């Protein structure tokens, strides 16, 4: 049965509403409120799911399932925690159940995912967005970072995303993942160390290759300094 109420009056812009007001409207099935909650939660839920499962496609499935679970049982949401916290926990549980189901049926899975280079990569907005070399550079950097983060074990990837992308505190992460904050801190340290190693392997020469100052640039500096000393 549909939970939507398209005839509900829309006297205010949903984007200006508080989370509490949106949840209240969503309880009546108001479509505008449901859409706004989805818009607000999409980035976090996708990152949470992607921090656990192995591909973008699986993460999208988990997010969709999480919305359906949450909206169909919205009457059970009592408001002791924020709605965003409540639905994040639903997404975490769904992602973990997805992994368990996948492992149980692994012997029947003969499909290997082949992700083309720079798949699903969009250039970040910024200066000179029409310059193709700028867009390409940003896409390549983003693909490099995404691949490095994706290579992390899920127990390290999820805390890293929650901390560095969602800017959650150690206590908040520990609460949502049922971990001691000290354990969260340890996993973040290990995640950053592994990321550094992964990025160095992908960058020829490692981080020592960043901001090189040799060759003609070095010789030019020497020429200028010597010339200045001779004045």
């Amino acid at each position: 049965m549909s939970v939507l109420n398209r005839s509900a009056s829309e006297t205010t812009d949903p984007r200006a509403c508080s989370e509490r007001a949106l949840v209240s409207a969503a309880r009546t099935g108001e479509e505008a409120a449901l859409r706004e909650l989805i818009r607000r939660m999409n980035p976090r839920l996708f990152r949470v799911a992607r921090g656990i499962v192995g591909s973008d496609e699986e993460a999208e499935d988990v997010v969709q399932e999480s919305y359906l679970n949450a909206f169909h049982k919205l009457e059970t949401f009592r408001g002791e925690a924020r709605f965003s916290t409540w639905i994040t926990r639903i997404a975490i549980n769904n992602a973990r159940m997805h992994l368990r189901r996948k492992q149980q049926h692994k012997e029947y899975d003969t499909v290997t995912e082949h992700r083309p280079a720079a798949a699903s990569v969009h250039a970040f907005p910024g200066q000179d967005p029409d310059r193709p070399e700028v867009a390409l550079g940003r896409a390549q950097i983003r693909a490099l970072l995404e691949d490095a983060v994706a290579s992390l074990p899920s127990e390290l990837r999820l805390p890293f995303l929650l901390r560095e992308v969602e800017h959650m505190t150690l206590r908040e992460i520990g609460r949502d993942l049922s971990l001691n904050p000290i354990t969260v801190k340890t996993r973040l340290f290990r995640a950053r160390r592994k990321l550094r190693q992964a990025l160095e392997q992908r960058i020829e020469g490692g981080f020592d290759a960043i901001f090189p100052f040799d060759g003609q640039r070095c010789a030019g500096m020497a020429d200028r300094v010597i010339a200045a000393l001779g004045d």
Side-chain angles (χ1 to χ4, degrees):
M1 184 175 65
S2 174
V3 298
L4 294 181
N5 176 14
R6 293 184 174 84
S7 63
S9 61
E10 299 176 11
T11 57
T12 59
D13 182 356
R15 292 181 182 241
C17 292
S18 67
E19 182 180 277
R20 184 182 297 273
L22 289 172
V23 171
S24 178
R27 288 184 192 275
T28 69
E30 188 170 326
E31 182 177 353
L34 293 169
R35 287 183 177 276
E36 178 60 15
L37 286 171
I38 291 172
R39 186 191 71 81
R40 292 187 188 184
M41 292 307 306
N42 266 340
R44 170 180 286 197
L45 296 191
F46 180 80
R47 287 164 182 153
V48 163
R50 189 61 181 85
I52 297 174
V53 302
S55 72
D56 289 358
E57 291 77 11
E58 291 174 287
E60 288 186 25
D61 289 342
V62 168
V63 171
Q64 179 174 314
E65 181 183 7
S66 300
Y67 283 132
L68 293 175
N69 291 160
F71 292 145
H72 277 298
K73 60 180 184 181
L74 199 54
E75 70 279 358
T76 68
F77 174 61
R78 301 304 178 192
E80 289 89 353
R82 288 173 56 88
F83 173 80
S84 54
T85 299
W86 181 68
I87 196 171
T88 296
R89 291 172 180 167
I90 292 175
I92 290 172
N93 290 334
N94 283 345
R96 287 173 171 167
M97 287 191 291
H98 175 90
L99 272 189
R100 285 195 291 268
R101 290 194 299 266
K102 186 177 180 181
Q103 290 168 354
Q104 290 171 356
H105 298 87
K106 192 173 182 179
E107 62 270 22
Y108 302 107
D109 183 11
T110 59
V111 179
T112 302
E113 180 188 11
H114 296 285
R115 181 185 176 192
S120 302
V121 172
H122 303 282
F124 292 143
Q127 295 181 340
D128 301 323
D130 295 329
R131 290 174 56 192
E133 66 274 17
V134 172
L136 177 61
R138 287 176 176 155
Q140 289 173 335
I141 291 172
R142 179 172 173 178
L144 181 70
L145 291 173
E146 285 187 349
D147 287 343
V149 172
S151 71
L152 292 172
S154 62
E155 69 270 15
L156 303 183
R157 186 169 64 239
L158 180 54
F160 177 82
L161 289 172
L162 293 178
R163 176 63 175 168
E164 300 299 336
V165 182
E166 293 300 324
H167 308 294
M168 294 173 63
T169 66
L170 298 182
R171 187 178 299 277
E172 289 171 335
I173 297 171
R175 176 200 62 205
D176 287 353
L177 302 185
S178 300
L179 296 172
N180 187 296
I182 296 177
T183 302
V184 174
K185 187 174 182 179
T186 299
R187 293 189 181 185
L188 287 172
F189 174 79
R190 291 172 55 202
R192 292 177 182 126
R193 183 176 60 188
K194 283 184 174 292
L195 273 179
R196 178 186 175 91
Q197 293 170 346
L199 289 171
E200 283 190 316
Q201 290 173 359
R202 287 166 170 79
I203 300 174
E204 185 177 356
F207 287 141
D208 290 341
I210 296 176
F211 298 136
F213 199 83
D214 52 13
Q216 290 299 318
R217 296 177 71 197
C218 181
M221 174 65 73
D223 291 342
R224 291 194 297 274
V225 170
I226 295 301
L229 290 174
D231 290 343

